[in-house]
Amino acid sequence: MSYQTLHRPRSRIPQRTDRVSFDMLSHLLKHINLFQLRIPNFHPLHDHPKPTHPFPTRSALPTALMLVNISMFVSTDARIILRSVTKTYNLSTVMTSLSRELVFLILQFLDEEKYKDTVHRLELESGYYFNMRYFEELVTNGEWDEVEKYLSGFSKLEDNRYSMKIFFEIRKQKYLEALDKRDRAKAVDILVKDLKVFAGFNEDLFKEITLLLTLDDFRANEQLSKYGDTKSARGVMFGELKKLIEANPLFRDKLQFPVLKSSRLRTLINQSLNWQHQLCKNPRPNPDIRSLFLDHTCNQPNQPNGARAASPSPGTNHLMGGGGGVPKIAGFHPLMGGGGGLFQPAPGGPGGLPANLSGWMANQSVVPHPSAAPSGPMGLGSPNNAGAILKRPQTPSGPIPMEYQTADSNHVSKRSRPYGTSEEGGNIPVNILPVTYAGHPHGHNNTLSPDDLPKVVVTTLAHGSPVMSIDFHPIQQIVLLVGTIGGDVYLWDLGARQRITEKGFDVWKLDACSKELQASLNADATASVNHVAWSPDGTLFGVAYSKSLVHIYSFQGGSDIRNHLEIEAHTGSVSHLAFSYPNKQLSVVTCGDDRIIKVWDAVTGEKRYTFEGHEAPVFSVCPHYKENIQFVFSTATDGKIKAWLYDNVGSRVDYDAPGHSSTRMAYSSDGTRLFSCGTNKEGESFLVEWNESEGSIKRTYLGLGQRAAGIVQFDTTRNRFLAAGDESTIKIWDMDNTNPLTTIHADGGLPASPCVRFNREGILLAVSTNDHGVRILATDDGIRLLRTAETRSFAPVMKVPAGGGGFGSSSANAGITMADRTNSFAAMENNEVRTLVDGKPRIADDLGERSRACKVTEITEPSQCCSMRLADNVPVTKVSRLIYTNSGSGVLALASNAVHKLWKWQKSDHNLAGKATANAQPVLWQPASGIMMTNETSDTNPEDAIPCFALSKNDSYVMSASGGKISLFNMMTFKTMTTFMPPPPAATFLAFHPLDNNIIAIGMEDSSIQIYNVRTDEVKTKLNGHQNRITGLAFSQALNILVSSGADSQLCVWSMDGWEKQSNKYLQVQHGRSLPAVSDTRVQFHLDQIHLLVVHETQIAIYDAQKLDWWMQWVRKEATGPITSATYSCDSQSIFVSFENGSVDVLTASNLRLRCRINPTAYLPPNPSSRVYPLVIAAHPSETNQFAVGLNNGAVHVVEPSETEGKWGTSPPLENGAAVPDN
């Protein structure tokens, strides 16, 4: 029974078995009143309607003032102001809105305080927020009573059709589980008590459910034949429930938790206390609040601390937070200890910043900076000014000031938070911290499992010496920065598996260096890289060297890398660096062996602050901010941790790291949780989470081993996981569990303490190896990211001249474009490559020795590759169309007799992922009903028809035609959902619109293109421009266009907005050759959705689709026969081309150079009686080197490289001698 049962047409009632008496069935039905109502149906391609109404408009009242009125901290002035405001706003409306917002604040507070049960109880009773994650947990655990109880706070069964469907699915699942456990008594009880109510809405459906009791196994029912185990069934059901809940109007505005800053309720109470303290007649510089039950007032000299009259007074308010002082009245600052901030405001200080810390004060040791020279008393100003201010309390004239993000030990650079822009920082992008609410999934982190961690090795990057530091670009997540012990810095494009450039250690301005550094460099001109880091916006990156220097480079994408700053930062080694934004100005924080921390202006290189106080070399820095307070943590090799504000007062914290270890500190991606990891001199390692408000260790993670040398390195990802390189592996912890979660071996070969680094989204993981490499691991999303990166083989790539150079030098800024590579495209054998240079097409020059040195790999024997014919019991006929499912676990073929065949690979010990492979035989999928997906055909011979099909993105439906009507099939049941568009003319090509599965482009036999809406069953528009039938269609969402190709060898570009024709062009023909009068031309977009692959029986060509500019052309040699099919590999780095002689060529996509030839003898069995060859070829959606071919004898073969090779041939060299990366 499918999960769409309630909304599907009535199905046939299965026959009862002879084992159950008719009396029993009658007895069951006798107790059920059956009457019939119609149940609305959903269209199979039409998504459930989404909520269209926006959130209610929020009140414009200042939030801080709202809470002052709600809480007990209400001053007389505040009440007067509120009364005046409510003259404009309807009080009942305002208070209702405020009450709702107050509930959200309480929910956040309870969640932060770990009152989980109370959180969900309040969600239920208030009905303001439906916690989807909690609901998923209940469903997954099968807590059905709790599931319905939680739902009841938001919807009742009879409210609407969505609610009815939700409750039906839950009770149906409970019923099926009882049947599966052979607990028929419980099943009957559920049927009578829970499912009986639905009998009135669909009598046949209820009878069918009842008849399940008569079956030994309900899977004998056709609709339930694919029901798996309980766990998977619950997962499928939850997916359906989630869609229904999101479409249900009753849940509108209740599925998203408001974006709040952390500890918002505490902050508002702080603001209330600030307000009260501003009204004190005798404000004390260090007020002490011990209760929230009474309004604050500063003590009179004859009063005990904290005493006051019970009645509120505008002049007798008390401020909370030990060791704090009065902030500037122009803006609210947090003052409450433990309220989400480590620092408390202090009297005076530069910029109104606090002078000391709360929480970490147990071992406080304030060390004044030697150069600190206070110029006057600390406070708000002169007593007269303070008195004047207190007589006329001021409210902020605008919203609370925006908080600007700092770079917290480089981790800020990979946060997935939205970017804002500083008003004063020269348009420097900054990150804004949202609040995490455990019940509200921010991004992906709350629904993660260990299976979502990067574990699959996708490539290894080679370097000249051991890797010391790695960092992903914060925006371009496939760009990786690497620093090595040999002093080299590498920049990699992971999408192209290509090194953009490298740079050895070099001093830019030796004359500007100190004499000591010059002497050191004269004695030994080498230096190692200690650390590399990107700025938060990715426009700069820094390199810290072992010899005093820091280099800052500017990076504008591609090969545009320039020298920016050279700073002689420290005496001796520079241990670490990080970027930060004190006072909204981008800065670089460095530390070194000279025991000093320095802050440099990232634009000018001017030194802005110097922090002294450590008694040992400073090992690392971690800039961050909380509640408008900018600060820097520093750690030293003696295990001391200090914290600094951007002033000259000295450290605010003097604390010991666990085990007195050399430690690095880092925040979680959302900036709310602080971790540290390090190793001491005895080889003991410690990974801990800190309680910032108390300066204590919150939890210590177990599982780190003893080491003889080196310091363990770690990283965080997705606000959920910690990773540490330990014992030649990558160990993973859930942040909320001290025991190791899993271990990743990354194919072995890792050093004892490898460097580890996640990209911003946590879908790629870089780890250093023993052989001086960096291994890249990826999740499924990471593999897709590498495939869909916007700039890869067509992006500018750095030239590295043989004579040296690299980034920072003038010769390094010239990128190689497609046109620049003219001389690299050789005529291979009789296959000619033609390129566009200065707008004029020509045949490329032969490269002589260099071309001949790049030998094409010939595969002739079965042992040289892995090939498998897919088992097939269907009568033999030629394969006309072939495609992999989007999941990569199946292959779908359409034969010339209009029959579809679907093969699926199952998960097994040898195929854990259940993906298509040549090493495991798939199952020829067949539903229990035995029906086949067969297209309607015309009166003519179906072999003469032109088949076509298109697969939906989720593999649920296939749209197909074989000369007759277009059919829509359900891929699970093979049932025909609908048919439409009877010929003539017949459909010859189909393509789904990229944004709406209800819209399809249909290429027709009469040369027209129809844009058809399946849901409304109407043709939106008809496009005319070709002279013969349509043979290819391809959408580009990036360019907002549709490209069509026809049997007339013409390409046309159509706008997706108004469907006007933008341009057209006929295929280029080499001089002396001609095109057939009628021939199929296919089109396919590169993953960048800009470059277009055009396939014709005579040639392969690359076009820029925007203006149909021709880039390159590869012309087949006569001996191979016509090209029958071609396709990009999944990463668009290769092109697989099949020929009528049975061979398959593998071309490098960036230059159309032949890399490998697979002869038919390697993958086809010998058959001298007939000529067998591929008619169609398809590329696996995630395996870059796997393809499938459909043959003219009806067979389908999956082909991939041998396990020893792992790839097809070797990529040819570039002009400068640097190898193009292998696929």
Side-chain angles (χ1 to χ4, degrees), residues 785-956:
L785 171 66
L786 295 177
R787 294 203 319 262
T788 58
E790 292 183 358
T791 54
R792 261 188 295 228
S793 58
F794 293 103
V797 180
M798 288 294 299
K799 289 183 178 179
V800 183
F807 56 76
S809 61
S810 58
S811 63
N813 292 324
I816 299 174
T817 65
M818 296 290 289
D820 292 331
R821 299 179 186 175
T822 301
N823 294 329
S824 297
F825 306 139
M828 301 296 294
E829 301 180 53
N830 294 327
N831 298 315
E832 294 175 341
V833 178
R834 307 172 68 220
T835 63
L836 184 69
V837 181
D838 299 328
K840 299 177 181 179
R842 70 179 182 88
I843 300 176
D845 298 329
D846 191 278
L847 291 179
E849 294 299 325
R850 193 152 47 85
S851 176
R852 287 189 289 273
C854 179
K855 186 177 181 180
V856 176
T857 301
E858 289 276 352
I859 296 179
T860 58
E861 300 295 331
S863 60
Q864 294 177 276
C865 67
C866 294
S867 172
M868 181 179 62
R869 175 173 177 166
L870 307 188
D872 187 3
N873 55 12
V874 180
V876 174
T877 182
K878 67 181 181 182
V879 178
S880 300
R881 295 291 179 262
L882 189 71
I883 190 173
Y884 280 89
T885 59
N886 293 294
S887 65
S889 61
V891 170
L892 177 66
L894 173 58
S896 58
N897 64 353
V899 175
H900 299 77
K901 293 179 281 187
L902 175 62
W903 290 270
K904 288 186 178 182
W905 276 259
Q906 306 297 312
K907 292 184 178 181
S908 66
D909 293 341
H910 301 292
N911 187 12
L912 297 177
K915 300 292 186 181
T917 173
N919 296 311
Q921 187 66 239
V923 175
L924 181 60
W925 190 257
Q926 193 83 27
S929 62
I931 63 174
M932 303 180 71
M933 290 188 291
T934 305
N935 285 330
E936 294 187 12
T937 57
S938 61
D939 296 334
T940 61
N941 184 356
E943 297 283 339
D944 297 332
I946 300 174
C948 55
F949 65 18
L951 187 63
S952 65
K953 295 176 183 178
N954 60 1
D955 297 332
S956 297

Side-chain angles (χ1 to χ4, degrees), residues 92 138 292 323 342 621 676 959:
S92 62
L138 294 177
L292 295 178
L342 177 63
V621 288
S676 72
M959 195 168 292

Side-chain angles (χ1 to χ4, degrees), residues 918-1061:
N919 296 311
Q921 187 66 239
V923 175
L924 181 60
W925 190 257
Q926 193 83 27
S929 62
I931 63 174
M932 303 180 71
M933 290 188 291
T934 305
N935 285 330
E936 294 187 12
T937 57
S938 61
D939 296 334
T940 61
N941 184 356
E943 297 283 339
D944 297 332
I946 300 174
C948 55
F949 65 18
L951 187 63
S952 65
K953 295 176 183 178
N954 60 1
D955 297 332
S956 297
Y957 306 99
V958 61
M959 195 168 292
S960 182
S962 296
K965 289 183 180 180
I966 300 173
S967 299
L968 178 67
F969 296 100
N970 184 308
M971 286 279 284
M972 178 62 71
T973 64
F974 285 12
K975 288 186 176 180
T976 303
M977 310 297 293
T978 186
T979 60
F980 54 95
M981 301 283 285
T988 57
F989 204 91
L990 300 168
F992 281 102
H993 192 286
L995 299 178
D996 187 351
N997 270 346
N998 289 307
I999 305 297
I1000 57 172
I1002 308 173
M1004 309 300 288
E1005 196 173 27
D1006 66 352
S1007 78
S1008 68
I1009 303 168
Q1010 299 195 23
I1011 307 301
Y1012 179 76
N1013 189 315
V1014 180
R1015 179 165 54 86
T1016 61
D1017 191 23
E1018 63 176 349
V1019 176
K1020 294 182 62 177
T1021 189
K1022 187 175 181 179
L1023 313 180
N1024 293 294
H1026 286 276
Q1027 306 303 316
N1028 211 314
R1029 69 174 184 268
I1030 304 302
T1031 58
L1033 295 168
F1035 283 98
S1036 169
Q1037 186 176 343
L1039 300 178
N1040 200 37
I1041 60 173
L1042 168 68
V1043 177
S1044 60
S1045 60
D1048 55 359
S1049 301
Q1050 182 186 189
L1051 306 176
C1052 294
V1053 177
W1054 313 86
S1055 167
M1056 286 165 56
D1057 290 330
W1059 301 109
E1060 302 90 358
K1061 185 164 74 171

Side-chain angles (χ1 to χ4, degrees), residues 586-597:
L586 184 62
S587 301
V588 182
V589 184
T590 64
C591 62
D593 284 352
D594 56 6
R595 308 178 183 181
I596 299 174
I597 300 101

Side-chain angles (χ1 to χ4, degrees), residues 333-614:
H333 293 282
L335 305 175
M336 182 174 173
L342 177 63
F343 299 99
Q344 306 303 314
L353 291 174
N356 58 358
L357 297 160
S358 75
W360 294 57
M361 295 297 293
N363 296 324
Q364 180 189 12
S365 174
V366 177
V367 182
H369 190 279
S371 63
S375 57
M378 303 179 70
L380 290 172
S382 65
N384 291 338
N385 291 338
I389 291 173
L390 293 175
K391 288 178 182 178
R392 295 185 300 275
Q394 301 175 14
T395 59
S397 58
I400 297 174
M402 184 64 69
E403 297 179 357
Y404 293 87
Q405 181 57 49
T406 63
D408 51 355
S409 187
N410 312 314
H411 287 253
V412 68
S413 65
K414 59 181 182 174
R415 293 184 181 169
S416 56
R417 295 190 290 270
Y419 277 85
T421 304
S422 167
E423 296 176 357
E424 303 176 8
N427 295 324
I428 297 174
V430 294
N431 293 333
I432 300 171
L433 280 171
V435 158
T436 53
Y437 175 64
H440 173 51
H442 283 283
H444 312 284
N445 59 304
N446 288 320
T447 58
L448 293 175
S449 72
D451 294 335
D452 296 310
L453 290 164
K455 294 182 179 179
V456 179
V457 176
V458 293
T459 191
T460 300
L461 315 174
H463 304 86
S465 59
V467 172
M468 296 293 290
S469 180
I470 47 184
D471 196 19
F472 280 95
H473 192 280
I475 310 299
Q476 301 180 37
Q477 296 189 65
I478 59 167
V479 175
L480 183 70
L481 181 64
V482 180
T484 70
I485 200 170
D488 299 313
V489 179
Y490 296 79
L491 204 58
W492 293 92
D493 177 354
L494 300 183
R497 275 70 163 178
Q498 189 161 358
R499 186 178 69 238
I500 298 174
T501 191
E502 66 173 300
K503 171 65 174 173
F505 174 69
D506 188 23
V507 180
W508 301 347
K509 297 178 180 180
L510 185 61
D511 294 342
C513 297
S514 66
K515 293 181 179 180
E516 292 79 6
L517 179 57
Q518 291 185 40
S520 175
L521 292 171
N522 288 332
D524 181 6
T526 63
S528 64
V529 174
N530 285 335
H531 194 72
V532 295
W534 290 99
S535 65
D537 62 356
T539 59
L540 299 174
F541 63 85
V543 184
Y545 290 102
S546 62
K547 285 194 176 176
S548 302
L549 293 178
V550 167
H551 283 171
I552 307 296
Y553 296 91
S554 67
F555 175 74
Q556 301 301 325
S559 59
D560 190 2
I561 304 167
R562 303 172 187 176
N563 298 352
H564 178 57
L565 291 174
E566 182 176 66
I567 303 172
E568 186 176 348
H570 297 271
T571 302
S573 179
V574 184
S575 306
H576 201 254
L577 65 81
F579 289 86
S580 67
Y581 277 110
N583 302 320
K584 307 175 187 178
Q585 292 181 328
L586 184 62
S587 301
V588 182
V589 184
T590 64
C591 62
D593 284 352
D594 56 6
R595 308 178 183 181
I596 299 174
I597 300 101
K598 298 181 182 180
V599 182
W600 312 85
D601 189 300
V603 177
T604 65
E606 178 185 357
K607 184 169 64 176
R608 301 181 60 203
Y609 301 99
T610 299
F611 305 143
E612 296 185 37
H614 276 291

Side-chain angles (χ1 to χ4, degrees), residues 179-251:
L179 289 176
D180 208 25
K181 294 176 181 177
R182 303 290 194 271
D183 191 346
R184 293 185 179 273
K186 182 177 180 180
V188 170
D189 187 64
I190 295 170
L191 183 70
V192 175
K193 292 182 178 179
D194 295 337
L195 290 170
K196 177 180 176 180
V197 66
F198 299 103
F201 301 98
N202 192 322
E203 177 183 353
D204 290 347
L205 173 61
F206 188 75
K207 287 183 178 180
E208 186 172 356
I209 293 174
T210 303
L211 286 170
L212 294 179
L213 286 166
T214 68
L215 303 176
D216 289 336
D217 185 348
F218 62 78
R219 293 172 181 82
N221 181 290
E222 177 186 324
Q223 297 293 325
L224 294 169
S225 60
K226 298 300 183 289
Y227 184 96
D229 57 18
T230 299
K231 181 178 179 181
S232 61
R234 289 174 180 175
V236 173
M237 183 192 68
F238 173 74
E240 293 298 319
L241 294 180
K242 184 177 181 182
K243 293 177 183 177
L244 290 167
I245 290 169
E246 290 172 346
N248 195 330
L250 294 175
F251 291 84

